[in-house]
Coordinates of all heavy atoms in Angstrom, one line a residue:
G1 N 10.1 14.6 -12.8 CA 10.4 14.4 -14.2 C 11.4 13.2 -14.4 O 11.9 12.8 -15.5
E2 N 11.8 12.5 -13.4 CA 12.9 11.5 -13.5 C 12.1 10.1 -13.4 O 11.4 9.7 -12.5 CB 13.7 11.6 -12.2 CG 14.9 10.7 -12.1 CD 15.7 10.9 -10.8 OE1 15.5 11.8 -10.1 OE2 16.5 9.9 -10.6
A3 N 12.5 9.3 -14.4 CA 12.0 7.9 -14.5 C 12.9 7.0 -13.5 O 14.1 7.1 -13.5 CB 12.0 7.3 -15.8
R4 N 12.3 6.2 -12.8 CA 13.0 5.3 -11.8 C 12.5 3.9 -11.9 O 11.3 3.6 -12.1 CB 12.7 5.8 -10.3 CG 13.3 7.0 -9.9 CD 14.9 6.7 -9.6 NE 15.6 7.8 -9.0 CZ 16.0 7.8 -7.7 NH1 15.7 6.8 -7.0 NH2 16.7 8.8 -7.3
D5 N 13.4 3.0 -11.8 CA 13.1 1.5 -11.8 C 12.8 1.1 -10.3 O 13.7 1.5 -9.5 CB 14.1 0.7 -12.4 CG 14.2 0.8 -14.0 OD1 13.1 0.7 -14.5 OD2 15.3 1.1 -14.4
I6 N 11.8 0.4 -10.1 CA 11.5 -0.1 -8.6 C 11.4 -1.6 -8.9 O 10.6 -2.1 -9.7 CB 10.1 0.5 -8.1 CG1 10.1 2.0 -8.2 CG2 9.9 -0.1 -6.7 CD1 11.1 2.7 -7.3
Y7 N 12.1 -2.4 -8.0 CA 12.0 -3.8 -8.0 C 11.4 -4.3 -6.7 O 11.7 -3.7 -5.6 CB 13.3 -4.5 -8.2 CG 13.9 -4.2 -9.7 CD1 14.7 -3.1 -9.9 CD2 13.6 -5.0 -10.7 CE1 15.2 -2.9 -11.2 CE2 14.1 -4.9 -12.0 CZ 14.9 -3.7 -12.2 OH 15.3 -3.5 -13.5
V8 N 10.6 -5.3 -6.7 CA 9.9 -5.9 -5.5 C 10.3 -7.3 -5.5 O 10.0 -8.1 -6.5 CB 8.4 -5.6 -5.6 CG1 7.7 -6.1 -4.4 CG2 8.1 -4.1 -5.7
R9 N 10.6 -7.8 -4.4 CA 10.7 -9.3 -4.2 C 9.8 -9.8 -3.2 O 9.7 -9.2 -2.0 CB 12.2 -9.6 -3.7 CG 12.5 -11.1 -3.6 CD 13.9 -11.3 -3.2 NE 14.3 -12.7 -3.3 CZ 14.2 -13.5 -2.2 NH1 13.8 -13.1 -1.0 NH2 14.6 -14.8 -2.3
L10 N 8.9 -10.7 -3.6 CA 7.8 -11.2 -2.7 C 8.0 -12.6 -2.4 O 8.4 -13.4 -3.2 CB 6.4 -11.1 -3.4 CG 6.0 -9.7 -3.6 CD1 4.9 -9.7 -4.7 CD2 5.3 -9.1 -2.3
R11 N 7.9 -13.0 -1.1 CA 8.0 -14.4 -0.6 C 6.6 -14.6 0.1 O 6.2 -13.8 0.9 CB 9.0 -14.7 0.3 CG 10.5 -14.5 -0.2 CD 11.0 -15.6 -1.0 NE 10.8 -16.8 -0.5 CZ 11.5 -17.5 0.3 NH1 12.7 -17.1 0.7 NH2 11.2 -18.8 0.7
H12 N 5.9 -15.8 -0.3 CA 4.6 -16.0 0.4 C 4.3 -17.5 0.3 O 4.5 -18.1 -0.7 CB 3.5 -15.2 -0.3 CG 2.1 -15.1 0.5 ND1 2.1 -14.5 1.7 CD2 1.0 -15.7 0.1 CE1 0.9 -14.6 2.1 NE2 0.2 -15.4 1.2
A13 N 3.9 -18.0 1.4 CA 3.8 -19.5 1.4 C 2.6 -20.1 0.7 O 2.7 -21.3 0.3 CB 3.7 -19.9 2.9
T14 N 1.5 -19.3 0.6 CA 0.3 -19.8 0.0 C 0.0 -19.2 -1.3 O 0.6 -18.0 -1.6 CB -0.9 -19.6 0.9 OG1 -1.1 -18.3 1.2 CG2 -0.8 -20.4 2.1
A15 N -0.7 -19.9 -2.2 CA -1.0 -19.2 -3.5 C -1.8 -18.0 -3.3 O -2.7 -17.9 -2.5 CB -1.7 -20.3 -4.4
A16 N -1.5 -17.0 -4.0 CA -2.3 -15.7 -3.9 C -2.1 -14.8 -5.1 O -1.1 -14.9 -6.0 CB -1.6 -14.9 -2.7
N17 N -2.9 -13.9 -5.3 CA -2.8 -12.7 -6.2 C -2.4 -11.5 -5.4 O -3.0 -11.3 -4.3 CB -4.2 -12.5 -6.8 CG -4.2 -11.3 -7.8 OD1 -3.7 -10.2 -7.4 ND2 -4.7 -11.5 -8.9
F18 N -1.3 -10.9 -5.8 CA -0.7 -9.8 -5.1 C -1.2 -8.5 -5.5 O -0.6 -8.1 -6.6 CB 0.8 -10.0 -5.1 CG 1.3 -11.3 -4.5 CD1 1.6 -12.4 -5.3 CD2 1.3 -11.5 -3.1 CE1 2.0 -13.6 -4.7 CE2 1.7 -12.7 -2.6 CZ 2.1 -13.7 -3.4
P19 N -2.1 -7.7 -4.9 CA -2.5 -6.4 -5.3 C -1.4 -5.5 -5.1 O -0.7 -5.5 -4.1 CB -3.7 -6.1 -4.5 CG -3.6 -7.0 -3.3 CD -2.8 -8.2 -3.7
V20 N -1.2 -4.6 -6.2 CA -0.2 -3.5 -6.0 C -0.9 -2.1 -6.2 O -1.5 -2.0 -7.3 CB 0.9 -3.8 -7.1 CG1 2.0 -2.6 -6.9 CG2 1.5 -5.1 -6.8
V21 N -0.8 -1.2 -5.3 CA -1.4 0.0 -5.4 C -0.4 1.2 -5.3 O 0.4 1.1 -4.4 CB -2.5 0.2 -4.4 CG1 -3.1 1.6 -4.4 CG2 -3.6 -0.9 -4.5
L22 N -0.6 2.1 -6.2 CA 0.3 3.4 -6.1 C -0.7 4.5 -5.7 O -1.8 4.6 -6.3 CB 0.9 3.7 -7.4 CG 2.0 2.8 -7.9 CD1 2.1 3.0 -9.4 CD2 3.2 3.1 -7.1
E23 N -0.3 5.3 -4.6 CA -1.1 6.4 -4.3 C -0.3 7.5 -3.7 O 0.8 7.2 -3.2 CB -2.3 6.0 -3.3 CG -2.0 5.5 -2.0 CD -3.2 5.0 -1.2 OE1 -4.3 4.9 -1.6 OE2 -2.9 4.8 0.0
T24 N -0.8 8.7 -3.8 CA -0.1 9.8 -3.1 C 0.1 9.6 -1.6 O -0.8 9.0 -1.0 CB -0.7 11.2 -3.5 OG1 -2.0 11.2 -2.8 CG2 -0.9 11.4 -4.9
A25 N 1.1 10.1 -1.1 CA 1.4 10.0 0.4 C 0.2 10.6 1.2 O -0.2 10.2 2.2 CB 2.7 10.7 0.8
K26 N -0.3 11.8 0.6 CA -1.4 12.5 1.3 C -2.7 11.6 1.3 O -3.3 11.5 2.4 CB -1.7 13.7 0.5 CG -2.8 14.6 1.1 CD -2.9 15.9 0.2 CE -4.0 16.9 0.7 NZ -4.0 18.1 0.0
L27 N -3.0 10.9 0.1 CA -4.2 10.0 0.2 C -4.0 8.9 1.0 O -4.9 8.4 1.7 CB -4.5 9.5 -1.3 CG -5.8 8.7 -1.4 CD1 -7.0 9.5 -1.0 CD2 -5.9 8.3 -2.9
H28 N -2.8 8.4 1.0 CA -2.4 7.2 1.9 C -2.7 7.5 3.3 O -3.3 6.7 4.1 CB -1.0 6.7 1.7 CG -0.6 5.6 2.4 ND1 -0.9 4.3 2.3 CD2 0.1 5.6 3.6 CE1 -0.5 3.6 3.2 NE2 0.2 4.3 4.1
T29 N -2.3 8.7 3.8 CA -2.4 9.1 5.2 C -3.9 9.2 5.5 O -4.4 8.7 6.5 CB -1.8 10.4 5.5 OG1 -0.3 10.2 5.2 CG2 -1.9 10.9 6.9
R30 N -4.7 9.8 4.6 CA -6.1 9.9 4.8 C -6.8 8.5 4.9 O -7.7 8.3 5.8 CB -6.8 10.6 3.7 CG -7.4 11.9 4.2 CD -8.2 12.7 3.1 NE -7.2 13.2 2.1 CZ -7.4 13.4 0.8 NH1 -8.7 13.3 0.4 NH2 -6.6 13.9 0.1
H31 N -6.4 7.5 4.0 CA -6.9 6.2 4.1 C -6.6 5.5 5.4 O -7.4 4.9 6.0 CB -6.4 5.4 2.9 CG -7.1 5.6 1.6 ND1 -6.6 5.2 0.4 CD2 -8.3 6.4 1.3 CE1 -7.4 5.6 -0.6 NE2 -8.3 6.3 -0.1
Q32 N -5.4 5.7 5.8 CA -5.0 5.0 7.0 C -5.8 5.7 8.3 O -6.2 4.9 9.1 CB -3.5 5.4 7.4 CG -2.6 4.4 6.7 CD -1.2 4.5 7.2 OE1 -0.7 5.6 7.4 NE2 -0.5 3.4 7.5
Q33 N -6.0 6.9 8.3 CA -6.7 7.6 9.4 C -8.1 7.0 9.4 O -8.7 6.7 10.4 CB -6.7 9.1 9.3 CG -5.3 9.7 9.6 CD -5.3 11.1 9.3 OE1 -6.1 11.7 8.6 NE2 -4.3 11.8 9.8
F34 N -8.8 6.9 8.2 CA -10.1 6.4 8.1 C -10.3 4.9 8.6 O -11.2 4.6 9.3 CB -10.6 6.6 6.7 CG -12.1 6.2 6.5 CD1 -13.1 6.9 7.1 CD2 -12.4 5.0 5.8 CE1 -14.4 6.6 7.0 CE2 -13.8 4.6 5.6 CZ -14.8 5.5 6.2
E35 N -9.3 4.2 8.1 CA -9.3 2.7 8.6 C -9.1 2.5 10.1 O -9.8 1.8 10.7 CB -8.1 1.9 7.8 CG -8.3 1.7 6.4 CD -7.1 1.2 5.6 OE1 -6.1 1.0 6.3 OE2 -7.2 1.1 4.4
Y36 N -8.3 3.4 10.7 CA -8.1 3.3 12.1 C -9.3 3.8 12.8 O -9.6 3.3 13.9 CB -6.8 4.0 12.6 CG -5.5 3.2 12.2 CD1 -4.6 3.7 11.4 CD2 -5.4 1.8 12.7 CE1 -3.4 3.0 11.1 CE2 -4.3 1.2 12.4 CZ -3.3 1.7 11.5 OH -2.2 0.9 11.3
L37 N -10.0 4.8 12.3 CA -11.2 5.3 12.9 C -12.2 4.2 12.9 O -12.9 4.0 13.9 CB -11.7 6.5 12.1 CG -13.1 7.0 12.5 CD1 -13.0 7.6 14.0 CD2 -13.6 8.0 11.6
L38 N -12.4 3.4 11.7 CA -13.4 2.4 11.7 C -13.0 1.3 12.7 O -13.9 0.7 13.3 CB -13.5 1.8 10.3 CG -14.1 2.8 9.3 CD1 -14.1 2.1 7.9 CD2 -15.5 3.2 9.6
L39 N -11.7 1.0 12.8 CA -11.2 -0.1 13.7 C -11.6 0.4 15.2 O -12.0 -0.4 16.0 CB -9.8 -0.4 13.5 CG -9.4 -1.2 12.4 CD1 -7.9 -1.3 12.3 CD2 -9.9 -2.7 12.6
G40 N -11.4 1.7 15.5 CA -11.7 2.2 16.8 C -13.1 2.1 17.1 O -13.5 1.7 18.2
I41 N -14.0 2.4 16.1 CA -15.5 2.3 16.3 C -15.9 0.8 16.6 O -16.7 0.6 17.5 CB -16.2 3.0 15.2 CG1 -16.1 4.5 15.1 CG2 -17.7 2.5 15.1 CD1 -16.4 5.1 13.7

């Protein structure tokens, strides 16, 4: 129930579009496990 300000400072040498994703920690863990499984395969 608490509103929070989040500030991000980015430095990058080349021109880019910076994607920003918010996800639950549970979904993030699942995505990481799947990505590492695919890399392992």
Side-chain angles (χ1 to χ4, degrees):
E2 180 183 351
R4 286 283 189 107
D5 288 309
I6 307 294
Y7 291 92
V8 178
R9 185 177 188 268
L10 294 160
R11 299 279 318 267
H12 196 65
T14 58
N17 178 310
F18 301 100
V20 181
V21 175
L22 290 162
E23 65 183 9
T24 63
K26 184 177 179 179
L27 182 63
H28 176 75
T29 299
R30 242 186 292 156
H31 282 167
Q32 275 191 317
Q33 289 172 344
F34 184 69
E35 289 171 0
Y36 286 122
L37 174 67
L38 291 179
L39 282 172
I41 290 170

